[in-house]
Amino acid sequence: MKKGILYIVATPIGNRDDFSPRAVETLRQVTMIAAEDTRHSRPLLQHYGISTPLTAFHEHNERQVMSRILGRLDEGESVAVISDAGTPLISDPGFPLVRECHMKGIRVSPVPGPSAAVCALSAAGLPTDRFIFEGFPARTSQARQKQFQALLKESRTLVFYESSHRIRHCLEDMLLVFGGDRQAVIARELTKLHETIISAPLDDLLEKVKQDANQQKGEFVVLVSGAEKRSGDTLDSETERVLRILMEEMPLKQAAAVAAKISGGKKNRLYKAALSWVEKESGQSG
Ligand code: SAM
């Protein structure tokens, strides 16, 4: 018997008009919609005239409901999964079900739409060529700081979800670990009436949030610029200053060795940096 299809359907993250026609049509066609919170989804579905039966499918009953969904799919019926907002499985339930479908040879088909992380990234003004999505940071300050420490040297743009209860403390911990100069963005209430996107160094950003209670309300995506990659010939400004002075007084190798002793840096790295400056400067003058 031909098996049904499991559709993973994205719903709006605020603005109802972001519901795609294909998402609406798919939800009308399936025989059952597994929704994270049926009370939350019902008004949206009613607004679009979708009367397909709804079943609650959340992290507390995921295993139980999963077997019912798999049973339906085995019998050839198609089922859709939706979450409260955005793309299911992205910091939302559904992963065990999708994995099980793959193992059982049941087709899983995504019906794409909004996701707060990508939506925020597209408008944040931080590099988007490479990014990592970290979901919700840990709930306690100690665990959060540990998590951020592990990301300190990460050069890709960091993307987090955060709730209104923790936004301020989260930014305080980010400031502590990444430093006040690191550029960050909070994207709040995306696609909704009070949408705001603020980009600033972490110390300014925290100050703005502290001073405006409205900036602590709603839903947030927090993005942090990746750590700057130090290329071979980039040194911190003090080491560079010392090395340049020494280069005027002694041979390159010796200057690198002495500067390494003063700065605590690696002799080889300093030598390579000095060499690259000499090459660059002789290229410019020649
Ligand atoms: N699956 C959803 C998605 O694809 O975006 C995310 C679900 S997660 C449980 C909910 C979190 O997403 C919120 O706490 C917030 O961090 C972020 N989020 C959802 N909607 C948002 C919006 N309109 N503006 C900013 N952040 C939002």
Side-chain angles (χ1 to χ4, degrees):
M1 186 187 196
K2 199 165 176 251
K3 290 181 179 177
I5 299 171
L6 179 72
Y7 291 100
I8 306 298
V9 181
T11 57
I13 58 169
N15 190 322
R16 278 185 173 176
D17 290 343
D18 293 337
F19 213 1
S20 81
R22 190 160 84 89
V24 173
E25 200 44 43
T26 304
L27 294 176
R28 283 187 184 139
Q29 299 288 321
V30 292
T31 62
M32 173 173 132
I33 299 172
E36 192 184 358
D37 179 345
T38 53
R39 276 176 313 178
H40 178 97
S41 296
R42 199 157 273 130
L44 174 77
L45 300 181
Q46 270 169 0
H47 178 82
Y48 279 93
I50 299 163
S51 52
T52 310
L54 280 175
T55 288
F57 181 57
H58 42 71
E59 49 178 346
H60 304 295
N61 72 358
E62 205 169 8
R63 298 270 157 193
Q64 244 171 294
V65 178
M66 209 168 110
S67 61
R68 272 178 47 213
I69 297 176
L70 289 168
R72 293 237 185 173
L73 292 163
D74 267 337
E75 284 162 22
E77 291 182 30
S78 289
V79 174
V81 172
I82 59 173
S83 61
D84 285 354
T87 302
L89 278 86
I90 308 301
S91 291
D92 270 337
F95 164 62
L97 173 63
V98 171
R99 181 179 51 184
E100 194 68 15
C101 285
H102 279 274
M103 287 194 309
K104 288 183 176 302
I106 294 168
R107 189 175 149 209
V108 181
S109 181
V111 181
S115 187
V118 172
C119 178
L121 200 55
S122 69
L126 294 177
T128 52
D129 49 344
R130 298 180 76 217
F131 61 89
I132 58 167
F133 174 60
E134 281 283 306
F136 287 93
R139 285 165 180 243
T140 66
S141 183
Q142 200 187 7
R144 248 190 332 255
Q145 285 179 26
K146 212 170 151 198
Q147 186 182 356
F148 296 156
Q149 278 290 347
L151 294 165
L152 190 56
K153 291 189 178 154
E154 175 56 64
S155 60
R156 293 168 287 185
T157 297
L158 308 170
V159 185
F160 300 90
Y161 282 163
E162 193 49 285
S163 75
S164 53
H165 321 294
R166 281 185 286 273
I167 185 69
R168 191 176 151 173
H169 297 303
C170 172
L171 289 174
E172 281 168 357
D173 289 335
M174 284 176 166
L175 174 69
L176 211 71
V177 176
F178 297 117
D181 292 340
R182 187 79 80 91
Q183 191 71 20
V185 175
I186 52 172
R188 176 180 157 264
E189 295 287 88
L190 293 167
T191 77
K192 300 184 201 175
L193 188 63
H194 298 293
E195 175 183 278
T196 50
I197 299 180
I198 308 177
S199 173
L202 272 168
D203 48 7
D204 290 354
L205 198 60
L206 177 61
E207 216 39 53
K208 286 192 168 93
V209 169
K210 272 186 187 168
Q211 278 170 14
D212 182 357
N214 285 329
Q215 288 304 329
Q216 297 174 36
K217 291 180 192 154
E219 298 192 283
F220 298 85
V221 181
V222 183
L223 305 96
V224 180
S225 180
E228 267 178 38
K229 265 195 188 157
R230 288 196 181 280
S231 68
D233 59 351
T234 313
L235 303 175
D236 66 74
S237 57
E238 183 54 18
T239 307
E240 176 169 344
R241 191 181 72 82
V242 169
L243 183 55
R244 284 196 186 271
I245 293 171
L246 293 169
M247 280 164 68
E248 285 173 16
E249 306 297 328
M250 55 187 86
L252 221 58
K253 261 202 174 138
Q254 201 184 347
V258 177
K261 270 192 193 149
I262 296 170
S263 69
K266 285 227 158 60
K267 195 167 63 181
N268 256 353
R269 188 160 165 258
L270 268 62
Y271 178 65
K272 270 191 198 154
L275 205 61
S276 73
W277 299 337
V278 172
E279 278 164 5
K280 250 185 227 161
E281 277 150 30
S282 66
Q284 272 163 12
S285 59

